Amino acid sequence: MLDLLVLWLPVCLGIIALLAYGIFQSRKASRLREYNFRAQVVSDLHDNLSSRLYALKILSDQLTTPDKCPERQAQRSVRLSELALDCMQVIGNIIWAFDPSHNNVDTLFAKVQNFTQKAISPLVPFELNILDRKRWPHQVINPQTNHLVLMIFQELLTNMIKHTSSEKIQVDIFWKDSRLIFNIHNFFSKTPTTSISKPEDADDHYGLDNISSRLLKIKGELDFNQDSNSQHVHLVVPF
């Protein structure tokens, strides 16, 4: 009996040590994910919200002193309203990402559809296709991935409209091999002088850098190509 105890005691201690190490690593990874997500939220608040709030302050100061030109005064009022809505959108996106009930593919699609209907469809004809949705597995998304995928999608579409004279944008979303795939097609009649993959000025680089840094955090892939009358973006998000 003593011999068996001597034999199995090191084995049991080794198993306990491995379990303890596994729990430690799991908690460490969880803390790291939380830290990365909170850091991303802080970055978005700083980059996207603080600049808008500063612009709101400037416009508010200008409106307190009426401009002699009525048209310019009206333009300031419109811009003030637009900036206020932008601020609400930024805050709304972050609140949405924090909500535990939104950590799934369905709510991500709902947010994507809401953005395209309110922000893209008024500017250019838009078509969104979610392919074979009933065959997809139930997929839980952690808050950071949820938030970053939405930010990447929004940045891609707004950059396309900014850099081209879009006539139609079509997005096909499907699931393949544990990956969420977005195929984005931007159609136009006049070939643009620049593109989202090769911007010409610092402001454009800023948008592209945002997309690249977010892709790295979710280990995503982005492939871009362009011909004489269309742009094609292939966005892959692994799970």
Side-chain angles (χ1 to χ4, degrees):
M1 187 71 177
L2 183 61
D3 292 340
L4 287 175
L5 182 63
V6 171
L7 177 64
W8 282 102
L9 184 60
V11 175
C12 293
L13 290 175
I15 293 173
I16 293 172
L18 286 174
L19 288 173
Y21 180 75
I23 293 172
F24 170 76
Q25 289 296 329
S26 177
R27 290 180 176 177
K28 181 179 178 181
S30 178
R31 288 195 298 270
L32 181 60
R33 285 195 299 270
E34 180 184 354
Y35 172 83
N36 288 336
F37 179 52
R38 292 170 66 182
Q40 181 64 50
V41 170
V42 169
S43 175
D44 286 340
L45 285 172
H46 179 270
D47 296 340
N48 296 330
L49 189 59
S50 62
S51 60
R52 288 172 170 82
L53 290 174
Y54 184 70
L56 277 174
K57 179 184 181 304
I58 294 174
L59 282 170
S60 299
D61 292 342
Q62 291 175 343
L63 286 172
T64 58
T65 307
D67 196 286
K68 294 181 180 179
C69 176
E71 292 183 1
R72 191 156 50 229
Q73 187 75 355
Q75 289 174 355
R76 289 176 178 175
S77 298
V78 171
R79 183 57 183 149
L80 186 68
S81 177
E82 291 175 344
L83 277 171
L85 289 174
D86 284 347
C87 290
M88 292 171 61
Q89 180 70 37
V90 171
I91 295 173
N93 284 341
I94 292 173
I95 292 173
W96 168 80
F98 265 108
D99 189 337
S101 66
H102 295 162
N103 295 350
N104 57 75
V105 170
D106 289 331
T107 56
L108 175 61
F109 287 162
K111 195 68 174 176
V112 164
Q113 289 176 324
N114 180 266
F115 168 75
T116 56
Q117 288 172 1
K118 293 186 175 180
I120 304 301
S121 293
L123 303 176
V124 59
F126 185 85
E127 179 182 338
L128 177 64
N129 302 308
I130 301 175
L131 308 178
D132 294 328
R133 179 66 185 97
K134 293 182 179 180
R135 298 183 181 180
W136 296 19
H138 177 72
Q139 187 64 51
V140 176
I141 307 178
N142 70 59
Q144 184 183 25
T145 301
N146 217 11
H147 179 64
L148 292 177
V149 171
L150 180 63
M151 295 297 102
I152 292 168
F153 181 77
Q154 291 182 352
E155 190 91 44
L156 285 170
L157 292 188
T158 52
N159 274 358
M160 282 182 169
I161 293 176
K162 178 180 178 181
H163 295 306
T164 70
S165 300
S166 298
E167 294 186 341
K168 177 183 178 182
I169 295 179
Q170 176 183 329
V171 177
D172 298 324
I173 307 176
F174 59 95
W175 181 270
K176 183 178 180 181
D177 300 330
S178 299
R179 299 181 301 168
L180 186 61
I181 300 173
F182 295 75
N183 279 338
I184 305 173
H185 311 277
N186 178 31
F187 302 96
F188 44 78
S189 57
K190 182 181 178 181
T191 304
T193 56
T194 185
S195 72
I196 61 170
S197 64
K198 296 181 179 179
E200 294 178 345
D201 55 53
D203 289 339
D204 298 331
H205 275 293
Y206 180 74
L208 185 61
D209 288 344
N210 275 342
I211 293 173
S212 299
S213 64
R214 286 166 175 154
L215 277 171
L216 285 174
K217 291 175 183 177
I218 60 174
K219 299 180 180 179
E221 302 173 17
L222 184 66
D223 183 44
F224 175 91
N225 62 76
Q226 179 174 304
D227 53 40
S228 60
N229 62 356
S230 61
Q231 291 175 331
H232 305 277
V233 173
H234 186 70
L235 171 63
V236 179
V237 181
F239 287 95

